[in-house]
Amino acid sequence: MIKLYILILTLLIASPAFCQDADFFKPKPIRRELKAIKIINSLKIDGELSEPEWNLTKGASDFIQVEPMQGKPSQFVTVIKVLYNQKFLYVGVICKDPKGKKAIMATDFARDFDILRHDLVDLAFDTFNDQRNAVVFATNAYGVQRDLLSFDDIYYDVDWNGLWTVRTTRSDSGWVAEMAIPWKTLRYPRSIDSTQSWGFNAYRNRRQSNEISAFSPYPRIFTASHMNYAGIITNLQPPPPSTNIIVDPYMLVSNDHYSNFGPTQPAHSSSLKFGGDLKWAINPNSVLDLTANTDFAQADADQEVNNTTRFNVFFPEKRQFFLENASLFGVQVTVNGDGAGGSMHYQPFNSRNIGLDTSGNPIPIVGGGRFVHRSSSSNYGAIAIRQQGYEGGPETNFFVGRFSQNFGGQSRLGGMVSLKEQPGAANIESTLDGFFRLDESNSVNAIFTQSTTTNTGAKGFAGIVQYFNNTNSHEIWWTESIVTKSFDPQMGFVSRTDVIATTPGMNYFYRGKLLPFKSFLLSYAPGILPEVYFTSSTGKFAEADLPFYPIWFNFKDGGFFGYGIGSYWQHLTSAFSPLDVTIAPGDYHYFNQQLFLQTDPSKIINANITLLTGTYFNGKLTTGDYKIQFAPSPHISFLGELNQNYFTRVGIDNTTKTVNLLILQTRLALNPRLQFTGLYQKNTVNNSNAYNLRLAWEFSPLSYVYFIYNRGVNSQLTAPQAIAQVEDHIIFKVSYFQQF
């Protein structure tokens, strides 16, 4: 009955969205062109564009708006020029602004910065001309780099770091970016013709007015990496692909101190460690990575999460070796940032199962390798890692093999096998997956996996199919999932097991004539996200959620305001203990109200507030998440977050208590290459404190010196007298990146 009710409600709300969307357009048959000019000399990269070579081309201007007035000419002049010689592809971008440098917005100097907080220019190159894949380089007005690899504008290697240089200048007429990209960073096919043309697009975000304009326009539902909407760079004469080897060795010295960890843990230890990575681009399509004595000391620490739902929490990968080419192995179905897609998240391979324990603490990696081949027709690769025995645990071997075949415009079929092997036991996952682009608006994503655990003989299955309809005016989805009770993805991640889930929904985006206050309102965006769950092993009802957001306004400055209501039904067959509050088995129905607010994220002071309050199982719960950032200049940024859960007479013991999680972050930067970052976390659920401090100096492109201090304090409250376990780690690390 609940499923029928949700289906009818979803279809009633969604029905207006199926009307024709006049703003959504298909790629133009004639692509816009930008001619590159060959030069002999090398250029000094200083952001001035003062060399006479830059006067050899007028470049291209006349950018077209993507936001807020799609299809209209940009209100701000942008000029892009492309030069090249035998070593580098040079790009100069002139971003004119009548307010000059006073209009420039930037909140920090973090590499791979948040695009919602910065003025920026973004360049996407389709070097294989397959209209599917792109290598992307972006910079803000202060020369901070952002780069990624895009595949079908669906999967992204956001943490890929290419070797390239950028410098910028700011003046009373706007800002200028000057880039030098080595040909070796831009992998491209060997060609019989000496002259090539590549797919290319560029966009600029003039952040003060939040105007996004592009060299070749595309519907606002997509990004500039949707390469079938791209233009073309012509007259390129790159050198033939040659040997391309990168070595990245490191040296690390650490000093560790432990208090109250018991006799098995030495109170003090020091170590000297050497290791590194080697990358060999065998040809433009194939790359081999090798790693030995792998270290991730400089990786960002995980931020803690206090979870009050029945879903597992997914923590993102932050270690560089596993981030590169992650999109090939990281096939998944998950929830989008706006809630679209539903709450079920399944990822057959999650690299955090390698080299980390269940608490996120590092386990030494002896070494391993990764091979990846990508082409317009197919993609395949493999990862093999050996993990050292740790704290009494055995040595472990990990293997992942992946293949996918492209067909049609942006569709693919694939398979993957993963293996975790320990003495006397192995866990094997066999996966079939597919993504089917039915047309520009409609797509289907599907994953089916069987897991086998040899020492127990247990076998399990997970299958998830997700349909999406995306246009400028709406996004509609329907996701069906089944995960059996015995499914055991020891190398993957699944948000919930022993479940059959139906999770449809819709978000609607209205920008029509009836929208008031158009000087600051961008759209009215109500949504409904119903979800129903049954227990797969019994077929009985488990949970139903009906959140509805009748009020949601997106602002032109990047902020938003929303109000929602939610009704929830729960059937617990065993005790459930969120944040140490034990709730008895039984049937529950509760209701809450939800409030969301985001101010302009590019401002010196900006805030994000989420507030949920109402009944919760047999009591009440008010959850508040409050974030505030103070960034008086891009050189200085402070961010504070308080997550507070106030339980009132909840659970078996009618518990009334408040659980607080405080997170403080700072970033102090002399320039994009010399930065200090700090992270402090205090969680009252386990009375823990953690400090992570890091000074990073990029003394040469992608070569670093790190000074790191980590401190963790946990109090054992169950003891007759509280005992604080304290660990301190001081680390010095040097890495040197060299490309041959």
Side-chain angles (χ1 to χ4, degrees), residues 642-658:
L642 175 64
N643 176 266
Q644 188 174 72
N645 288 277
Y646 177 57
F647 295 88
T648 304
R649 301 185 63 81
V650 177
I652 296 174
D653 299 322
N654 289 322
T655 300
T656 297
K657 71 172 184 177
T658 301

Side-chain angles (χ1 to χ4, degrees), residues 64-130:
I64 301 299
Q65 287 190 54
V66 178
E67 289 281 11
M69 302 297 293
Q70 180 179 284
K72 301 293 184 182
S74 172
Q75 298 184 39
F76 305 92
V77 175
T78 305
V79 181
I80 185 165
K81 300 182 177 184
V82 178
L83 308 174
Y84 65 93
N85 59 20
Q86 282 297 105
K87 291 186 177 180
F88 298 99
L89 180 71
Y90 298 103
V91 183
V93 186
I94 303 168
C95 302
K96 297 184 179 181
D97 197 306
K99 293 185 178 180
K101 57 187 176 183
K102 293 181 180 179
I104 292 173
M105 313 294 284
T107 57
D108 56 50
F109 278 2
R111 182 161 184 152
D112 297 326
F113 52 86
D114 184 347
I115 61 175
L116 299 178
R117 300 174 182 269
H118 296 255
D119 276 77
L120 65 92
V121 290
D122 176 289
L123 314 176
F125 297 89
D126 178 8
T127 59
F128 286 88
N129 279 317
D130 57 15

Side-chain angles (χ1 to χ4, degrees), residues 19-89:
C19 63
Q20 180 69 27
D21 181 6
D23 293 332
F24 189 85
F25 59 92
K26 294 184 177 181
K28 296 180 179 180
I30 299 176
R31 303 168 73 181
R32 189 181 183 192
E33 295 185 1
L34 171 62
K35 185 178 181 179
I37 302 299
K38 186 175 182 178
I39 61 175
I40 303 300
N41 298 327
S42 294
L43 303 181
K44 180 182 179 182
I45 305 304
D46 54 13
E48 299 284 349
L49 303 187
S50 56
E51 291 88 348
E53 285 84 354
W54 287 110
N55 296 324
L56 297 175
T57 174
K58 293 182 179 179
S61 55
D62 299 328
F63 276 39
I64 301 299
Q65 287 190 54
V66 178
E67 289 281 11
M69 302 297 293
Q70 180 179 284
K72 301 293 184 182
S74 172
Q75 298 184 39
F76 305 92
V77 175
T78 305
V79 181
I80 185 165
K81 300 182 177 184
V82 178
L83 308 174
Y84 65 93
N85 59 20
Q86 282 297 105
K87 291 186 177 180
F88 298 99
L89 180 71

